[in-house]
Amino acid sequence: RSKYPGGNRITLYSKKMNEEAFKRLELESYLRKALQKHEFFLCYQPLIDLKTGKLYGSEALIRWNHPVLGLVPPGDFIPLAEETGLIEEIGSWVLKTACKQNKQWQNLGMEGLTVSVNVSANQFQQTKFVKEVKRALADAHLEPKYLTLELTESTMLRNIDHSIEVMKSLQKLGVRVSIDDFGTGYSSLSYLKDLPINTLKIDRSFINNLSLETTDIAIVKAIITMGYGLAVKVVAEGVETEEQIKLLKDLNCHYAQGFYLHQPLTAVDFEKMLLAKSIS
Ligand code: C2E
Ligand code: MG
Ligand code: MG
Ligand code: MG
């Protein structure tokens, strides 16, 4: 019997830590090369106007297809991209690509189609951020009103005064600003009234179990009512059932997005869907 009963566990534990550190380093080195190697692509998840049932736009969602690791979900590499500063280049690629793609679809006849792009905290806090947005729009010849930038509450609150300035400049440009994952952050209602935003996007955790039997309905109803009060549009993300759609319609929620309506689609599949809609 060992004098140090925990000894073995400590060895195992540090071995595990080493493995994790190694994996992280490996992931980081792959991530550094991913842009040049064209391993990223965007999927587009449709947003539906609940009043008309028509397509309103899409949310661009990044995908990373690595030859060894396979498809790495954004939740596994966006935080690392943030920590390493790689997010600046990746984010700017997403912006450019999404704007160009949306313009191409508008040119196919979907004139009012909008696109939403997720912006992470470090990307948003860069001094050149607004300039980059302008450049992406200009390069794509996309009118600013067709671009929505999705920011989370924690992104905005990191440096609230600066964030408000940036959001104001974006709105002056004509770009729309949306609060993503609304309800999961910790922004107080007093902030909300000062934030220059156009849209609230209710987090999918409230929508996923939405039914008349859960208390989520009360929260969702309150957020939608507040949206009307603040004169902003409300989007529900994560809609997975017909019943949820019906409830959201009854509550006069403006837009919905979710697996029940559409999965995120590759650009090719999104375009097929557009063409199918335009003939029907
Ligand atoms: P998000 O912006 O809240 O995006 C919505 C996420 O919910 C997407 O996951 C989408 O596939 C998923 N989703 C949509 N409908 C449903 C549904 O009905 N049920 C369920 N269970 N999930 C649904 P995804 O694509 O894995 O993205 C995860 C997060 O990664 C995003 O959350 C966003 O925060 C981040 N992200 C994605 N693309 C980008 C990007 O280009 N830049 C940055 N900075 N972040 C991104
Ligand atoms: Mg989003
Ligand atoms: Mg979201
Ligand atoms: Mg989310």
Side-chain angles (χ1 to χ4, degrees), residues 59 118 152 180-182 184 202-205 237:
E59 176 176 8
N118 292 288
T152 62
D180 202 356
D181 303 342
F182 185 73
T184 58
I202 309 173
D203 189 67
R204 66 168 194 254
S205 60
E237 71 174 7

Side-chain angles (χ1 to χ4, degrees), residues 59-61 116-119 150-152 180-181 201 237 257:
E59 176 176 8
L61 295 162
S116 297
V117 171
N118 292 288
V119 177
E150 296 193 1
L151 308 167
T152 62
D180 202 356
D181 303 342
K201 199 163 186 182
E237 71 174 7
Q257 175 185 354

